[in-house]
Amino acid sequence: MDRNIRTVDDVLRLLDGLFAPEADRWTAGAASWWDGFYADRSKPVPFFVAKPDENLVEYLDHGVITAGRVLDLGCGPGRNALHLASLGFEVDAVDLSPAAISWAEDRARRAGAEIRFHCGDAFALHDTELGGPYDLIYDSGCFHHLPPHRRVSYLALLDRTLAPGGLFALTCFAAGGMGSELSDTDFYRQSRLHGGLAYTPEALRRIFSDLTEVELRRMHDEPPESPRFGEPFLWTALFRRAARP
C-alpha cells in the first residue's frame, strides 16, 4: 500500500510520474534526451545559431534592461548568456543537458566571456547554486516544455529568485504557430506533451498575473543574415516584479 503524499513536492513528483518516460523534457532524467538533441552541433536547428534573441537585443538597446545579475533558464548552447555577458552582466546560466552546457562553455571560452554555467534541474538548484536575487530572469524556450503542474514550481522559482523591481523575460510557443493546444487536463489523459505547450496571450497574463506586464508580442521574423534570432511562431513577453514599498 502506497501512502507517501504529504507535501506539495510529493504531489508534483507523483504528477511527473503520470507522463510516459519518453515525454519527459523537464526533470533531471531528461538530460540524456537533450544530450542526444544537442549531440550534432551542425544540425539545422534555428536556435543553434550563435545569435541573441531579437527581443532581448531590443530591450537592451532601448534601456529597458540595464546591467545587473541575470539567470538564463534553459540556456542551451548559451547564445543569450554570451550576449548578456559581453555587455557586462553577471550571468548564471542553467540547463539540464551536459552536452548543451559543454557547447555553451566552448563558446564562452572562445569569446573570453565569464559566465557561471550550472548543469542540472533549476527547480532543484534554486536554493543552492541559483539563490539570486536576479535583476533579470531570461527564458528562451524552457517554459513551454513544462507540464501544467510544473508551472507551480516555475512560479515558486521566480518568487524566490527574482529581485524586487526585477524583470522576467520569456519566449514560448504561440498558439496557432507551434506547440500543442490540448487542454491541461488532456495532457494527463494522454501522458504526453507533444513537443511542448502552446500559449495564448491571455493564458500567459493569467499565469504571470502577480507580475506587471511590460510587453507581450509576437517575436519578429529575422532573416538568415540578421545578427539576431527571431521566429514568428513564438511569443515574447516581458514582466516586472513590483518593487518593495
Side-chain angles (χ1 to χ4, degrees):
M1 182 179 292
D2 187 0
R3 298 285 186 271
N4 297 324
I5 302 300
R6 191 177 69 84
T7 68
V8 172
D9 283 342
D10 291 336
V11 174
L12 295 174
R13 284 191 290 269
L14 180 144
L15 292 173
D16 286 341
L18 297 183
F19 286 85
E22 63 271 17
D24 183 1
R25 300 288 184 274
W26 68 95
T27 76
S32 60
W33 189 93
W34 286 110
D35 281 347
F37 181 80
Y38 286 112
D40 181 1
R41 299 182 182 184
S42 66
K43 280 194 303 189
V45 176
F47 57 85
F48 278 12
V49 296
K51 301 177 181 181
D53 289 340
E54 61 83 11
N55 53 302
L56 177 61
V57 175
E58 184 174 285
Y59 301 149
L60 292 162
D61 286 351
H62 290 118
V64 178
I65 294 173
T66 56
R69 291 193 69 200
V70 180
L71 173 61
D72 185 359
L73 289 173
C75 66
R79 55 193 182 82
N80 290 304
L82 264 70
H83 186 69
L84 288 160
S86 74
L87 297 175
F89 287 81
E90 183 182 345
V91 183
D92 283 308
V94 60
D95 201 281
L96 284 173
S97 167
I101 292 294
S102 177
W103 189 359
E105 288 174 336
D106 287 347
R107 284 177 167 176
R109 278 192 294 271
R110 289 196 297 271
E114 293 189 12
I115 299 170
R116 288 187 297 270
F117 289 106
H118 309 268
C119 187
D121 178 353
F123 300 147
L125 295 173
H126 68 65
D127 283 333
T128 54
E129 297 180 47
L130 309 177
Y134 294 101
D135 303 292
L136 170 67
I137 295 179
Y138 194 77
D139 175 346
S140 185
C142 175
F143 176 72
H144 56 223
H145 288 298
L146 300 178
H149 65 277
R150 280 296 172 181
R151 292 179 205 137
V152 174
S153 305
Y154 195 94
L155 291 171
L157 186 152
L158 293 183
D159 186 59
R160 295 181 188 185
T161 58
L162 184 60
L167 291 163
F168 164 60
L170 171 74
T171 71
C172 68
F173 290 154
M178 190 171 185
S180 175
E181 299 186 27
L182 290 174
S183 70
D184 284 354
T185 301
D186 285 340
F187 287 119
Y188 296 94
R189 289 173 175 158
Q190 297 194 10
S191 74
R192 303 189 62 82
L193 294 180
H194 302 278
L197 285 63
Y199 287 89
T200 64
E202 293 75 22
L204 293 174
R205 290 179 177 122
R206 184 167 57 253
I207 292 165
F208 300 108
S209 59
D210 287 342
L211 306 175
T212 299
E213 180 184 334
V214 178
E215 179 182 70
L216 203 167
R217 63 168 172 82
R218 288 272 186 178
M219 180 176 262
H220 298 153
D221 192 10
E222 295 288 328
E225 65 273 14
S226 172
R228 308 175 181 186
F229 171 83
E231 293 284 353
F233 57 77
L234 299 171
W235 294 120
T236 72
L238 184 66
F239 296 91
R240 187 183 298 276
R241 185 174 191 176
R244 288 195 181 101

